Amino acid sequence: MSNKFYEWWKNHRKVITYGTFIVLFGFYLFPVVKEAKYKNQCIMYSTKGALTKFNKDDIGETLLKETGLTVDELAKIEGYKNCKN
């Protein structure tokens, strides 16, 4: 019995070892990926809110001329600023 297991282990040890490391690395990275997902959602919602606010407030041509940016670009910047934690 132990001889069969040794032969099986000898033939499959690289696959099992690499697979185990990949699974453990995935568990290690899961919180980072989850946090990035939440941050992207925050940025998306914050950008939509800023875009609505900028369009309602009519931010004026002076700000657009000073920065050289469009209203969409300013809303994206505001979204990133709001979600920077």
Side-chain angles (χ1 to χ4, degrees), residues 11 34 72:
N11 293 331
K34 194 173 186 179
D72 292 334

Side-chain angles (χ1 to χ4, degrees), residues 1-47:
M1 174 99 173
S2 64
N3 193 18
K4 288 182 182 180
F5 177 75
Y6 176 74
E7 287 297 321
W8 180 87
W9 176 251
K10 184 178 171 186
N11 293 331
H12 296 91
R13 63 183 170 202
K14 287 183 181 179
V15 173
I16 299 296
T17 304
Y18 291 144
T20 302
F21 282 131
I22 288 172
V23 168
L24 291 176
F25 188 65
F27 281 121
Y28 174 74
L29 284 182
F30 181 70
V32 175
V33 172
K34 194 173 186 179
E35 183 68 25
K37 179 183 169 189
Y38 289 150
K39 195 168 205 172
N40 284 338
Q41 285 179 341
C42 174
I43 291 169
M44 181 183 65
Y45 295 143
S46 186
T47 301

Side-chain angles (χ1 to χ4, degrees), residues 1 3 5 8 10-11 16 19 27 34 46 49-51 53 55 57-58 61-63 71-72 78-79 81 83:
M1 174 99 173
N3 193 18
F5 177 75
W8 180 87
K10 184 178 171 186
N11 293 331
I16 299 296
F27 281 121
K34 194 173 186 179
S46 186
L51 188 59
K53 180 181 179 284
N55 285 336
D57 292 348
D58 192 28
E61 295 297 321
T62 57
L63 181 61
V71 174
D72 292 334
E78 190 67 27
K81 283 178 17 182
C83 297

